[in-house]
């Protein structure tokens, strides 16, 4: 990191940010003009952590070079980023994120898998790590199996938790003994000791120190679950970030140099995305879900009632993992989104060919439709995993009143509430680069099934990582650019919850559009699109039928101001809780065709293709 | 832009192949620089620490954990035999003693007075690395392994199953578009590598295992047959550790796809020669493709082995289309327009124009072709 200079935030004019991904390094230049921060340009170049360059800064310089070309002004003086900005040269600050070299790979350990084990997992995931395994005293494995596992996985670091303060020390000692017996070596950097963070029962610190002190690089932080009723993930997360910089990044080629260049610590890419999602949720006081569907993995981020959660679905993705999506969900679940028949042998071969040649793109419309069908299932499964992980703390005592006896809720219920969700942001090639934005909107709606009123957006050029790290320096600048330049607003989805019979009138709306008020009557099982442009707003008064809920309660009228976007207002009365697609293809295909036409998602001729 | 960067699979008549043979942990290198080695020869050896067993001595003896060290008859580091008494409780006037026996042969690793657990470690496990290809030791990595080098014919496949094997190449079909079915395989392929044309069937794989063939090479494979062969639906392409009795490599992809003529003819010219083959495939960052190495120690290549199957595409380059609708067809690049074009899926992409062998032309996204490297 560059020398600690006091950054004068009010005078920040020019901000350079990079994200060093596994394959591409992306640089963005943000500048303040007429009092507001805007994205100026974006440049990219291949990441250079592997041979022949083996120096991440080469890719950074190439990406910044492209920014220089596009803006026609200089930022570099030779191989030095000129700071501060002066006379149309240089930038005020330079910040970066990184997921190159496989990102941050961790193992976590806790005494009880569903309690401290899960808290440790949340701490690591929130810091942007890939959690390779969760060790727990009750995970059903024998000690030698756990030891074997630690040895085989070779994590970048281990987070050891366990026991509330003043609670068990024996089980924590057992876990420490297992780690000690495995004598783990870090993935990168031969001759270094593996960093282990201890964030468990404070009474066991000395014991853990005695068992592990000589074998690993041990760091002790506050207990991440000091009492059963409360998590304290901050200290563990901060230590993970610090060690990521000092240990993991230092071993990656060129990072020691890159760390000298940046004005604030380099963050793991997903950790930074999590930060921008949290910043947006906090600034607007809303519940937000963000999803990033990549080639190998799908990350889901959420903030509900102020609680942040992140999950990584390691083998759900659109290229390297595309075949795994099929293996997990089954062919029928993919084909239920495809409005024509395909030969199974041929389809399976095509999907496997995408897996072994992951960089290819669909040339034919039918192939695009199939890929987008697979993406719906990948997103759906990733969100199912997220919902089961983003839960309240388990194992806590609850105070019950008489009225609670009629509504018995167990601990550990999901925090995800689709009715309170106000913003759903998608990113990743299949969403951000869908040829028609209407396709991105439809994929998000079909896989997440938003309820009530939900604004939809996609991250146009995957700027969320850079904006996340910027939010640690200048939250306002990060939010301004996020809303104006990062997001492509698709529009708002309006979906009532509840069952009804197909064809039954279930919703009436009066929508005050810029061109006048429109009255819309919807039957169960329909989709309808009304244009409402980017930046435009409309007041919607909606009256769901008895038994259906739009956020105001069953059958209650709701009035809400909605925002438009490149797609518009999408009214979805296909049902929620449950959302059911007809099983019989003779019934389902005509419905799919009807919905696709309503949203103008694909050209009509492609639908009658086979 | 007159050229583009496109990865391709390497097919080389004669090149220098260098194979790094590394131990997973530091150990001993058994061969010297410049030595001639055979594929099956062990070139480096080490020992992996043995497995660990835990014994809850406190529970077995019915004593508190803090008393366990005093009850131990064996100290940390002592050797033990399976069944040997390692701990004994001190009891009233020497009566009613309880004892605890070793569950494995090995050494006492740790004794914990906190948990009452004693960890026993089994003897180390030997790990050996073989040369994999016939050649000479071109480099010694002290304590880690060696680099074996040989002039060779080198063919990369697109996907494989199974690990390293050696065997003689046998052509079991006459042309690159013939299907390798079960009836092509007889006892004659025992211990050998059978080369087929456009497709290897599930029945052929079963037969290959039955007659004791070591390897199979073909243009394509149906996904349903792969599932039958593996017994599960492969989700992520990370392979090489399967132990299915045969190593399988496909050169073109999934489905019935004629093997590239150049590849087929090259294999035909090498018929009867010994080859080394590895099905290990990893399609992630740091991609690993399956390979066939046919050492040609009597030959001297004129140019060194090039990079890892990557190069520049220019007008005139030979390419293979790797996605529908022209999947598997070979052609020559006839135009590389720089501006983005809208293709049938309405995606805006960079494209190229390719001229196929029959004289027809097509516009194809650049991402959907791969270079055929010489």
């Amino acid at each position: 990191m560059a020398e600690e200079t006091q950054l004068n935030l009010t005078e920040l004019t020019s901000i350079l940010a990079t994200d060093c991904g596994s394959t591409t390094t992306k640089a963005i230049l943000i500048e303040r003009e007429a009092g507001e921060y805007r994205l100026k340009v974006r440049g990219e170049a291949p990441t250079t952590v592997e041979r022949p360059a083996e120096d991440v800064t080469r890719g950074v310089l190439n990406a910044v070079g492209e920014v220089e070309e596009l803006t026609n002004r200089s930022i570099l003086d030779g191989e030095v980023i000129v700071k501060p900005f002066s006379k149309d040269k240089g930038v005020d600050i330079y910040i970066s994120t990184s997921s190159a070299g496989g990102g941050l790979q961790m193992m976590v350990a806790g005494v009880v898998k569903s309690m401290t084990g899960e808290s440790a997992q949340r701490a690591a995931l929130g810091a942007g790590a890939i959690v390779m395994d969760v060790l727990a005293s009750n995970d059903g494995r024998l000690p030698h199996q756990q030891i074997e596992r630690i040895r085989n996985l070779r994590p970048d670091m281990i987070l050891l938790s366990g026991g509330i303060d003043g609670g068990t020390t024996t089980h924590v000692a057992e876990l420490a003994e297992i780690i000690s017996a495995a004598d783990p070596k870090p993935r990168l950097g031969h001759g270094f000791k593996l960093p282990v963070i201890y964030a468990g029962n404070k009474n066991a610190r000395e014991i853990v120190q005695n068992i592990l002190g000589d074998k690993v690089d041990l760091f002790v932080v506050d207990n991440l679950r000091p009492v059963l009723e409360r998590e304290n993930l901050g200290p563990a997360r901060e230590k993970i970030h610090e060690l990521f910089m000092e240990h993991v990044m230092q071993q990656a080629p060129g990072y020691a140099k890159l760390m000298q260049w940046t004005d604030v610590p380099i963050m793991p890419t997903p950790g930074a995305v999590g930060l921008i999602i949290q910043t947006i949720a906090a600034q607007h006081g809303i519940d937000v879900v963000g999803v990033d569907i990549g080639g190998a993995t799908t990350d889901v981020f959420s903030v509900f009632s102020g609680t942040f959660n992140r999950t990584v679905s390691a083998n759900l993705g659109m290229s390297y993992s595309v075949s795994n999506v099929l293996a997990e969900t089954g062919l029928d679940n993919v084909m239920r989104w495809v409005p024509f028949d395909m030969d199974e042998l041929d389809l399976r071969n095509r999907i496997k060919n995408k897996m072994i040649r992951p960089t290819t793109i669909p040339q034919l419309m039918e192939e695009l439709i199939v890929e987008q069908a697979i993406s719906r299932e990948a997103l759906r499964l990733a969100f199912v995993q997220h919902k089961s992980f983003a839960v309240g703390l388990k194992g806590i005592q609850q105070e019950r009143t008489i009225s609670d006896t009629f509504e018995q809720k167990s601990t550990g219920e999901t925090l995800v509430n689709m009715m309170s969700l106000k913003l759903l942001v998608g990113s990743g090639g299949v969403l951000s680069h869908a040829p028609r934005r209407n396709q991105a909107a439809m994929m998000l709606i079909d896989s997440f099934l938003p309820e009530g009123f939900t604004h939809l957006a996609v991250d146009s050029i995957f700027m969320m990582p850079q904006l996340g790290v910027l939010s640690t320096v200048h939250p306002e600048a990060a939010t301004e650019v996020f809303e104006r330049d990062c997001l492509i607003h698709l529009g708002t989805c309006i979906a009532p919850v509840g069952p009804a019979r197909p064809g039954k009138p279930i919703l009436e709306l009066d929508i005050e559009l810029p061109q006048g008020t429109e009255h819309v009557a919807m039957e169960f099982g329909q989709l309808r699109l009304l244009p409402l442009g980017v930046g435009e707003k409309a007041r919607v008064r909606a009256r769901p039928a008895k038994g259906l809920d739009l956020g105001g309660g069953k059958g209650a009228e709701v009035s809400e101001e909605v925002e438009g976007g490149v797609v518009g207002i999408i009214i979805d009365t296909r049902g929620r809780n449950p959302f059911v697609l007809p099983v019989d293809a003779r019934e389902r295909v005509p419905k799919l065709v009807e919905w696709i036409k309503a949203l103008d998602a694909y050209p009509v001729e492609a639908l009658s293709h086979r | 832009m007159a050229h583009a960067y496109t990865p391709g699979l390497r097919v080389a008549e004669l090149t220098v192949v260098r194979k790094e043979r590394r131990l997973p942990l530091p150990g001993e290198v058994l061969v010297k620089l410049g030595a001639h080695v055979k594929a099956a020869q062990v070139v480096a050896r080490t020992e992996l620490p043995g497995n660990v067993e835990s014994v809850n001595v406190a529970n077995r003896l019915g004593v508190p954990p803090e008393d366990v060290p005093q009850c131990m008859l064996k100290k940390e580091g002592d050797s033990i035999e399976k069944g040997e008494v390692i701990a004994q409780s001190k009891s009233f006037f020497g009566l009613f003693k309880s004892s605890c026996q070793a569950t494995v042969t090995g050494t006492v690793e740790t004794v914990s007075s906190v948990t009452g657990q004693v960890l026993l470690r089994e003897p180390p496990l030997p790990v050996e690395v073989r040369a994999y290809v016939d050649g000479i030791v071109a480099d010694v990595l002290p304590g880690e392994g060696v680099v074996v080098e040989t002039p060779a014919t080198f063919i990369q496949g697109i996907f494989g199953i199974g690990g390293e094997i050696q065997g003689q190449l046998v052509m079991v079909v006459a042309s690159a578009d013939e299907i390798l079915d079960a009836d092509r395989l007889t006892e004659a392929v025992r211990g050998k590598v059978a080369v087929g044309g456009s497709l290897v069937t599930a029945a052929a794989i079963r037969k290959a295992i039955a007659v004791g063939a070591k390897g199979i090479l073909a243009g394509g494979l149906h996904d349903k047959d792969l599932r039958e062969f593996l017994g599960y639906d492969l989700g992520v392409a990370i392979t090489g550790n399967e132990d299915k009795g045969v190593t399988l490599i496909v050169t073109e992809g999934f489905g019935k796809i004629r093997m590239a003529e150049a590849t087929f003819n090259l294999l035909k010219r090498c018929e009867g020669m010994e080859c080394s083959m590895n099905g290990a495939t990893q399609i992630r960052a740091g991609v690993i493709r399956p390979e066939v190495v046919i050492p040609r120690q009597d030959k001297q290549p004129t140019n060194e082995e090039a990079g890892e199957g990557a190069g520049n595409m220019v007008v005139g380059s030979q390419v293979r289309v790797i996605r529908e609708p022209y999947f598997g067809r070979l052609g020559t690049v006839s135009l590389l327009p720089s501006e983005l074009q809208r293709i049938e899926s309405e995606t805006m992409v960079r494209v190229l124009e390719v001229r196929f062998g029959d004289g027809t032309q097509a516009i194809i996204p650049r991402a959907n072709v791969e270079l055929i490297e010489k």
Side-chain angles (χ1 to χ4, degrees):
Chain A
M1 200 179 23
E3 260 178 50
E4 288 293 328
T5 44
Q6 200 60 44
L7 295 170
N8 187 344
L9 297 182
T10 54
E11 288 178 8
L12 280 187
T13 306
S14 184
I15 300 162
L16 176 68
T18 55
D19 172 43
C20 309
S22 329
T23 50
T24 316
T25 297
K26 284 109 8 193
I28 58 169
L29 182 70
I30 292 167
E31 300 213 316
R32 191 169 61 175
E33 282 175 354
E36 60 177 27
Y37 289 95
R38 297 300 298 260
L39 169 76
K40 197 86 176 165
V41 290
R42 174 183 189 266
E44 66 174 49
T47 296
T48 49
V49 289
E50 289 180 24
R51 284 184 298 173
E54 288 190 327
D55 179 353
V56 72
T57 60
R58 300 258 42 106
V60 169
L61 290 170
N62 291 343
V64 175
E66 199 170 302
V67 168
E68 285 183 314
E69 274 175 34
L70 292 167
T71 50
N72 205 18
R73 76 174 181 81
S74 60
I75 295 170
L76 301 169
D77 182 2
E79 295 193 352
V80 176
I81 296 171
V82 176
K83 286 185 279 193
F85 172 75
S86 140
K87 291 185 185 149
D88 221 22
K89 191 170 183 187
V91 294
D92 289 316
I93 57 165
Y94 168 58
I95 53 182
S96 189
T97 57
S98 172
S99 58
L104 168 61
Q105 304 186 6
M106 289 184 68
M107 281 186 87
V108 303
V111 171
V112 181
K113 196 171 175 129
S114 64
M115 290 156 77
T116 44
E118 214 167 271
S119 295
Q121 202 180 350
R122 259 194 282 274
L125 284 166
I130 295 160
V131 175
M132 306 164 90
D133 200 354
V134 184
L135 288 182
S137 303
N138 69 337
D139 66 13
R141 288 177 286 191
L142 294 170
H144 75 268
Q145 292 170 319
Q146 293 173 321
I147 291 165
E148 191 71 19
R149 184 80 179 142
I150 301 172
R151 258 196 214 155
N152 290 341
L153 288 181
R154 297 189 72 168
D156 292 322
M157 66 176 91
I158 296 178
L159 172 62
L160 169 62
S161 69
I164 54 170
D165 283 343
T168 177
T169 55
T170 315
H171 288 97
V172 181
E174 263 174 23
L175 288 168
E177 281 169 7
I178 285 166
I179 294 171
S180 164
D183 196 11
K185 301 278 177 274
R187 184 171 58 108
L188 303 168
H190 295 286
F192 287 88
K193 286 183 176 175
L194 183 83
V196 174
I197 301 166
Y198 176 63
N201 182 358
K202 63 182 179 189
N203 296 0
R205 284 178 186 171
E206 205 182 317
I207 300 168
V208 171
Q209 179 71 45
N210 289 339
I211 297 169
L212 286 173
D214 293 338
K215 287 207 169 165
V216 302
D217 218 350
L218 184 68
F219 301 88
V220 176
V221 298
D222 287 349
N223 193 349
L224 52 77
R225 193 87 180 251
V227 289
L228 273 184
E229 291 73 17
R230 188 167 59 83
E231 280 180 341
N232 176 33
L233 306 180
R237 276 187 187 156
E238 277 160 32
K239 187 50 91 179
I240 294 169
H241 280 161
E242 201 181 296
L243 294 176
F244 174 68
M245 283 283 287
E246 288 174 8
H247 286 249
V248 185
M249 286 288 91
Q250 282 283 13
Q251 313 306 330
Y255 274 85
K257 206 190 319 175
L258 185 65
M259 282 156 63
Q260 296 291 322
W261 294 1
T262 61
D263 292 281
V264 294
I266 300 168
M267 288 183 78
T269 303
V273 175
L275 272 185
I276 189 71
I277 299 274
Q278 289 177 83
T279 308
I280 297 305
Q283 289 198 345
H284 296 282
I286 54 170
D287 291 346
V288 181
V289 167
V291 63
D292 176 25
I293 177 165
T297 61
T298 297
D299 279 33
V300 181
F301 307 83
S302 74
V303 179
F304 283 95
S305 308
T307 303
F308 169 67
N309 272 289
R310 166 185 172 236
T311 48
V312 187
S313 298
N315 286 322
L316 294 175
M318 289 308 295
S319 58
Y320 304 106
S321 308
V322 68
S323 183
N324 196 56
V325 178
L326 187 70
E328 285 206 13
T329 194
L331 190 71
D332 289 347
N333 271 345
V334 170
M335 289 310 291
R336 67 191 174 134
W337 301 109
V338 178
F340 43 76
D341 280 335
M342 285 190 85
D343 173 49
E344 181 177 341
L345 180 84
D346 180 35
L347 179 65
R348 283 188 180 275
N349 283 340
R350 286 187 194 205
I351 292 172
K352 279 285 189 300
N353 281 321
K354 169 83 178 180
M355 173 186 79
I356 56 173
R357 290 179 166 110
T359 55
T360 60
I361 49 180
Q363 179 165 3
L364 301 173
M365 185 55 75
E366 62 172 51
E367 293 222 315
L368 180 81
I369 292 172
V370 171
E371 274 203 23
Q372 294 189 346
I374 297 170
S375 85
R376 283 170 168 85
E377 286 302 300
L379 291 166
R380 184 181 69 80
L381 291 174
F383 196 46
V384 167
Q385 287 181 9
H386 186 81
K387 279 193 268 195
S388 65
F389 183 76
V391 292
L393 298 183
K394 289 174 190 154
I396 62 172
Q397 292 206 337
Q398 289 181 313
E399 284 181 23
R400 292 185 191 278
T401 62
I402 296 284
S403 62
D404 290 333
T405 50
F406 298 104
E407 197 188 355
Q408 286 279 353
K409 281 188 177 174
S410 59
T411 58
E413 292 232 330
T414 185
L415 301 171
V416 173
N417 176 355
M418 295 310 284
M419 189 61 93
S420 69
L421 175 67
K422 287 296 158 219
L423 175 62
L424 172 57
V425 185
S427 78
V430 71
L431 291 169
S432 299
H433 299 151
R436 297 186 185 189
R437 298 288 181 198
N438 303 36
Q439 291 162 0
M442 205 166 175
M443 281 184 268
L444 284 172
I445 294 170
D446 288 347
S447 42
F448 286 84
L449 298 171
E451 299 170 3
F453 293 79
T454 314
H455 191 66
L456 309 175
V458 289
D459 176 359
S460 57
I461 52 171
F462 201 50
M463 275 164 61
M464 285 201 278
Q466 293 99 320
L467 297 180
V469 69
L470 178 60
S471 74
T472 65
V473 186
H474 201 314
E476 292 77 26
T479 323
E480 280 179 29
V481 178
F482 181 77
E483 281 168 7
R484 295 195 184 113
D485 298 314
C486 170
L487 288 191
I488 291 178
H489 296 271
L490 300 175
T492 299
C493 174
I494 303 173
V497 177
R501 279 198 309 279
K504 188 185 169 203
I506 61 157
L507 181 64
E508 291 205 16
L509 308 103
D510 291 307
I511 306 174
E512 292 168 19
L513 295 166
Q515 62 271 27
T517 300
E518 186 154 342
H519 179 79
V520 180
M522 299 284 292
E523 294 172 354
F524 188 80
Q526 289 185 312
L527 264 185
R528 174 115 187 235
L529 175 65
L530 295 172
L532 182 69
V534 178
E536 292 180 342
K537 291 185 175 173
R539 169 68 51 187
V540 177
R541 262 178 287 276
R543 293 172 296 280
K546 199 176 155 190
L548 285 120
D549 185 5
L550 258 175
K554 286 180 180 172
E557 180 173 320
V558 179
S559 171
E560 189 135 338
E561 189 174 67
V562 300
E563 271 187 66
V566 290
V567 179
I569 301 173
I570 300 160
I571 309 165
D572 179 358
T573 54
R574 297 176 298 169
R576 297 286 189 273
N577 293 336
F579 167 82
V580 185
L581 278 172
V583 178
D584 187 342
R586 284 168 302 185
E587 253 183 88
R588 185 180 66 248
V589 170
K591 287 310 280 184
L592 289 175
V593 171
E594 177 195 322
W595 298 334
I596 287 165
K597 283 181 181 167
L599 248 63
D600 192 23
Y602 304 109
V604 177
E605 58 274 16
L607 306 178
S608 53
H609 163 100
R610 284 177 176 240
Chain B
M1 189 168 158
H3 58 82
Y5 176 85
T6 303
L9 297 175
R10 199 168 151 72
V11 176
E13 169 108 40
L14 192 58
T15 183
V16 174
V17 170
R18 287 168 64 87
K19 288 285 150 195
E20 201 175 86
R21 312 297 295 163
R22 247 181 219 275
L23 290 164
L25 286 175
E28 188 192 357
V29 176
L30 305 174
V31 290
K32 296 213 158 40
L33 189 68
H36 284 265
V37 289
K38 300 299 280 178
Q41 188 176 340
V42 176
V43 292
R45 178 184 292 142
T46 190
E47 288 183 331
L48 277 181
N51 286 330
V52 172
E53 280 275 324
S54 68
V55 182
N56 194 330
V57 173
N59 265 4
R60 297 263 186 101
L61 301 184
V63 298
E66 56 269 27
D67 290 353
V68 167
Q70 290 91 325
C71 297
M72 291 300 294
L73 303 177
K74 297 280 181 182
K75 297 189 299 298
E76 287 181 8
D78 282 356
S79 296
I80 44 156
E81 289 291 323
K82 187 173 179 180
E84 191 179 350
V85 176
I86 55 167
Q88 210 163 45
S89 64
K90 295 181 178 61
S91 62
F92 201 60
F93 298 119
L95 297 169
F96 314 115
K97 276 190 200 167
S98 350
S99 61
C100 180
Q101 294 167 330
T103 49
V104 294
T105 296
T107 52
V108 176
E109 173 97 353
T110 57
V111 177
S112 173
S113 59
V114 180
T115 62
Q117 298 268 8
V118 171
L119 295 184
L120 309 178
R121 192 179 288 277
E122 290 183 45
L125 306 162
V127 177
E128 293 176 339
V129 170
R130 293 171 196 275
Y132 171 51
V133 291
D134 294 353
I136 60 158
V137 177
D139 201 357
V140 172
L141 315 163
E144 293 186 68
V146 296
V147 176
V148 180
E149 189 180 287
T150 181
T153 296
F154 182 74
I155 296 167
Q156 272 185 328
I158 186 76
F159 176 77
I161 292 287
E164 295 174 354
I165 55 113
Q166 284 87 39
Q168 200 184 52
L169 281 175
V170 189
M171 306 301 288
V172 293
V173 295
S175 75
D177 55 5
E178 267 184 71
I179 294 174
L180 199 178
D181 209 343
D183 55 13
R184 306 264 177 184
L185 299 170
T186 62
E187 280 290 328
V189 298
R190 177 178 295 279
K192 297 180 179 170
V193 174
V195 182
S198 56
L199 178 78
V200 54
T201 63
I205 298 173
R206 283 195 300 272
K207 182 80 176 286
I209 296 168
V211 299
K214 280 190 164 175
I216 307 170
L217 258 170
L221 166 74
H222 284 309
D223 174 48
K224 75 170 179 56
D225 293 345
L226 174 69
R227 258 186 305 157
E228 188 190 314
F229 175 42
L230 290 177
Y232 56 88
D233 197 356
L234 183 77
V236 181
I238 297 175
T239 67
N241 291 323
E242 301 75 17
D243 187 11
K244 292 283 163 192
V246 71
T247 290
L248 165 71
I249 295 179
V250 294
T251 56
E252 317 300 313
F254 287 92
K256 178 176 177 285
I257 317 158
R258 178 194 179 93
M259 186 184 283
E261 206 66 40
T263 311
F264 187 81
N265 290 337
L266 185 52
L267 286 164
K268 211 168 169 180
R269 286 198 293 280
C270 295
E271 184 166 17
M273 293 183 195
E274 282 291 320
C275 74
S276 295
M277 170 170 164
N278 187 0
T281 309
Q282 181 177 310
I283 302 167
R284 281 283 159 107
V287 62
I288 298 170
R289 293 286 185 189
E291 63 182 19
V292 181
V293 182
I294 307 157
R296 310 287 294 271
Q297 283 171 297
D298 52 325
K299 304 262 181 180
Q300 204 49 50
T302 47
N303 54 344
E304 285 273 301
E305 186 184 17
E308 297 290 313
N312 284 330
M313 186 160 54
V314 292
V315 170
S317 293
Q318 293 283 308
V319 291
R320 174 194 284 120
V321 185
I322 54 174
R323 186 141 184 176
E324 299 293 341
Y326 304 102
F327 185 58
R329 294 188 69 178
L330 306 176
T332 309
V333 176
S334 50
L335 207 58
L336 281 168
S338 60
E339 62 278 7
L340 298 179
Q341 282 194 27
R342 182 186 295 270
I343 54 176
E344 195 197 312
S345 61
E346 298 184 341
T347 315
M348 295 292 289
V349 289
R350 297 187 92 155
V351 297
L352 54 77
E353 186 187 77
V354 63
R355 186 190 300 275
F356 296 120
D358 61 6
T360 58
Q361 289 182 320
I363 297 287
I364 293 168
R366 287 191 192 183
N368 292 0
V369 299
E370 67 189 11
L371 272 180
I372 297 173
E373 301 213 10
K374 301 286 180 193

